[in-house]
Amino acid sequence: MRLMITGLLLLMMSLPYSTAFAKDDRALRAERNEAQKKRQQQVNERNKKNHAAMADFRDFTRDLNQEYQEKTRGMDTDYRMQKIELKAQRDMKIAEAESEMHQNISQLYLNPQSMDNLKAMEKFKVDMKSHQDKVFAIKKQAATDEHNEYIGVEKNKHKVMSERDQQALDKAKALGLLTKQQPILAKPIGGALTSQEERWNKREQKEVERMYSNNQRQLREYTKGAKLREWEINNKREDFKLKWQKKSEIHALQNEQAYYNSFIAAGGNMRLKQQELSAKMAEISKQNRMVNIKYSKIDKQNRLKRNTERRKMMGY
């Protein structure tokens, strides 16, 4: 009996405290729910503000890009005019050199007996090579002048486009697009974070990083533009160098081939047997193919390497 009374007393003593705890739990839940609503509102406002800023930036850069396209288009037109003038000068020089070379070949055809004279053959070979080298040098110099003119235009365009990039970035900064947003985190209410609040904080950290990364992707044309343009100019220089290395090697083979073709066309034996002549022509053809294969390999390797470099440079 005494034990029953003790138990009843203990139960009666605990009832007010249990009710108080229940009231405290409801108050904490209400406070946490209210804090959650405020955080969500802040997140919605932040996202809306960022979306509006990016839309404003796109409108601004659309007009800006059109303005600078007009500027660079005028520079391209000036370059094309200069290119026409350089080509005309080159063609006149080539015409003079080729005319001189053709006169020498015509003399060979008019005096076929000279083809059986070893000394005359060697002189003809030297003269012919000299004329062909002269034509090749004219073409290479003209191409070099045109290339230098092109690179000069590209460098001027690079300066102009860098001005565009800076204007775009100034606008982006004013809109807050260059700054990483601070996460809107849950704070402990009642002593510690709930598991739901901990999940919120983790998502919010990721969301801030995602938003910043997305903004940077939209801006990379302007943040990476100068580096990309300088890289492309250097690639153009390298391509031009490789192009004329290949042309030089092909030119040397064509010199040999033209020499033998001239004698064949004129009907001389050049003190060479038909079998020996065929072997020489076959070797020239083989070397020509080998040169093309070598530079085709280099070209493909460069494309793959540059694609990788571009993706890395632009952050893809």
Side-chain angles (χ1 to χ4, degrees):
M1 185 68 179
R2 186 177 295 177
L3 290 173
M4 291 177 62
I5 294 171
T6 302
L8 289 171
L9 289 171
L10 290 173
L11 178 62
M12 291 173 65
M13 290 173 64
S14 67
L15 285 175
Y17 291 101
S18 298
T19 303
F21 286 145
K23 290 180 179 179
D24 287 345
D25 287 343
R26 284 196 297 270
L28 285 174
R29 283 198 299 271
E31 189 176 351
R32 285 169 180 153
N33 288 339
E34 184 63 25
Q36 171 63 24
K37 288 179 182 179
K38 289 181 179 179
R39 287 195 300 272
Q40 189 61 60
Q41 288 176 352
Q42 289 175 317
V43 166
N44 293 341
E45 290 172 3
R46 180 193 65 197
N47 294 345
K48 183 178 179 180
K49 182 178 179 182
N50 186 77
H51 181 77
M54 188 54 69
D56 190 358
F57 179 76
R58 283 194 291 267
D59 289 341
F60 176 81
T61 53
R62 187 183 300 113
D63 294 337
L64 185 68
N65 289 340
Q66 186 173 357
E67 176 188 344
Y68 276 85
Q69 280 176 358
E70 291 298 324
K71 290 183 178 182
T72 56
R73 187 177 292 117
M75 298 169 74
D76 286 334
T77 300
D78 292 341
Y79 164 69
R80 285 193 291 270
M81 293 294 291
Q82 182 65 17
K83 185 177 178 180
I84 291 171
E85 179 63 28
L86 291 171
K87 184 178 184 301
Q89 295 176 10
R90 179 202 65 183
D91 289 347
M92 286 189 290
K93 291 178 181 178
I94 290 175
E96 292 176 2
E98 287 183 339
S99 175
E100 186 179 353
M101 182 176 68
H102 291 154
Q103 288 177 9
N104 280 18
I105 294 176
S106 297
Q107 290 298 318
L108 172 68
Y109 294 158
L110 293 173
N111 300 286
Q113 296 82 4
S114 63
M115 291 186 297
D116 293 326
N117 184 301
L118 186 59
K119 195 171 184 179
M121 285 168 51
E122 289 299 326
K123 183 179 184 306
F124 173 76
K125 184 175 183 179
V126 170
D127 289 346
M128 189 173 190
K129 181 179 183 304
S130 175
H131 286 298
Q132 288 177 324
D133 287 347
K134 183 177 180 180
V135 171
F136 182 80
I138 291 170
K139 291 180 179 179
K140 183 177 181 180
Q141 185 58 53
T144 300
D145 292 342
E146 182 184 320
H147 175 71
N148 290 338
E149 186 73 19
Y150 170 77
I151 292 296
V153 170
E154 289 300 303
K155 291 178 75 172
N156 287 335
K157 287 165 63 177
H158 170 49
K159 292 179 182 178
V160 169
M161 295 304 286
S162 292
E163 293 175 4
R164 179 209 66 168
D165 292 349
Q166 190 57 55
Q167 289 188 46
L169 293 176
D170 288 344
K171 180 67 173 180
K173 183 178 180 180
L175 292 169
L177 296 173
L178 297 180
T179 305
K180 185 183 296 185
Q181 298 289 333
Q182 291 298 317
I184 299 169
L185 301 176
K187 297 179 181 179
I189 296 176
L193 293 173
T194 65
S195 58
Q196 182 181 2
E197 289 170 338
E198 288 177 349
R199 289 193 297 271
W200 167 277
N201 286 353
K202 289 180 181 179
R203 286 197 303 270
E204 180 63 9
Q205 293 281 7
K206 291 180 180 178
E207 177 62 19
V208 166
E209 293 294 335
R210 185 195 65 80
M211 180 181 292
Y212 180 72
S213 296
N214 287 344
N215 287 348
Q216 298 315 297
R217 278 196 292 272
Q218 296 291 326
L219 300 173
R220 61 188 166 200
E221 177 183 352
Y222 310 100
T223 57
K224 308 288 187 179
K227 185 176 181 181
L228 180 63
R229 287 188 295 272
E230 188 64 33
W231 176 76
E232 288 176 338
I233 288 173
N234 290 333
N235 287 341
K236 293 292 184 182
R237 289 192 178 105
E238 183 181 353
D239 289 343
F240 180 81
K241 182 179 178 181
L242 285 171
K243 177 181 178 180
W244 281 92
Q245 282 179 357
K246 176 183 175 181
K247 282 181 175 291
S248 294
E249 293 181 32
I250 295 292
H251 169 71
L253 294 170
Q254 288 176 339
N255 273 351
E256 287 288 317
Q257 189 170 15
Y259 169 67
Y260 292 122
N261 285 342
S262 295
F263 277 98
I264 292 171
N269 60 39
M270 299 182 297
R271 300 180 181 273
L272 292 174
K273 295 179 181 179
Q274 187 64 36
Q275 185 177 1
E276 186 178 352
L277 178 60
S278 297
K280 286 183 177 293
M281 296 295 283
E283 180 62 23
I284 292 171
S285 178
K286 173 188 172 183
Q287 292 299 322
N288 192 78
R289 290 197 302 273
M290 296 299 288
V291 170
N292 283 308
I293 290 170
K294 178 176 74 173
Y295 283 97
S296 176
K297 175 184 174 182
I298 293 173
D299 182 57
K300 290 175 182 176
Q301 289 174 333
N302 281 344
R303 283 204 301 270
L304 288 172
K305 180 183 72 174
R306 289 171 184 176
N307 285 339
T308 301
E309 289 177 352
R310 179 187 288 272
R311 287 195 297 271
K312 184 178 180 180
M313 191 182 307
M314 297 300 288
Y316 291 122

